[in-house]
Amino acid sequence: MARGFVVALPLLLLNIALWVLFIYVVVLVVRALRKYLRSGADSKNPPEQAKSLGETLKAHRTSRGFTQEYVAEALGVSRQAVSKWENGTSDPSTANLMALAKLYGLSVDELLHQTETGE
């Protein structure tokens, strides 16, 4: 009888370990589902989408009533370059980005922050 107990004990411990593991997994799944469902409330008011650099540049240009030609002349670049910056085909160099910020009365940080946050 003692021999049967020695064989049954590891099986019993294995069975208990499996149940504990199962309960642990269920708890994790329930927590994940609760977190997912709570985050669903935010989907009714989605966060503002971040603007691209081109969208930000165009918004500042049009808000000041500037044409692409005016901006191009002020920076010493072609109108096509300004158009490419605004439609996202290319990005302005650092020097041109600094000149754009100055032309629009902003710091480079403000201009890039608006790009990141979509403000």
Side-chain angles (χ1 to χ4, degrees):
M1 177 147 180
R3 186 169 187 222
F5 180 73
V6 171
V7 171
L9 184 62
L11 291 176
L12 178 64
L13 292 176
L14 180 64
N15 197 7
I16 291 171
L18 288 174
W19 275 105
V20 168
L21 180 65
F22 174 75
I23 291 170
Y24 179 71
V25 169
V26 168
V27 167
L28 289 177
V29 168
V30 168
R31 284 183 181 171
L33 285 172
R34 289 180 68 201
K35 185 175 181 179
Y36 173 75
L37 291 174
R38 278 194 299 260
S39 69
D42 294 340
S43 66
K44 294 174 185 171
N45 298 321
E48 289 186 38
Q49 238 179 343
K51 291 183 188 177
S52 69
L53 177 60
E55 291 171 331
T56 302
L57 293 174
K58 184 175 182 178
H60 283 292
R61 179 181 59 79
T62 57
S63 72
R64 284 158 179 76
F66 296 162
T67 64
Q68 287 183 344
E69 290 176 7
Y70 176 79
V71 172
E73 287 177 22
L75 272 62
V77 298
S78 67
R79 186 203 56 79
Q80 290 82 1
V82 175
S83 175
K84 286 180 181 181
W85 298 338
E86 290 182 359
N87 68 28
T89 305
S90 68
D91 291 325
S93 67
T94 304
N96 285 332
L97 188 61
M98 292 170 55
L100 284 165
K102 185 176 181 181
L103 182 65
Y104 298 148
L106 303 166
S107 70
V108 175
D109 287 341
E110 290 172 320
L111 190 62
L112 293 177
H113 178 72
Q114 291 172 2
T115 301
E116 294 170 358
T117 61
E119 292 177 355

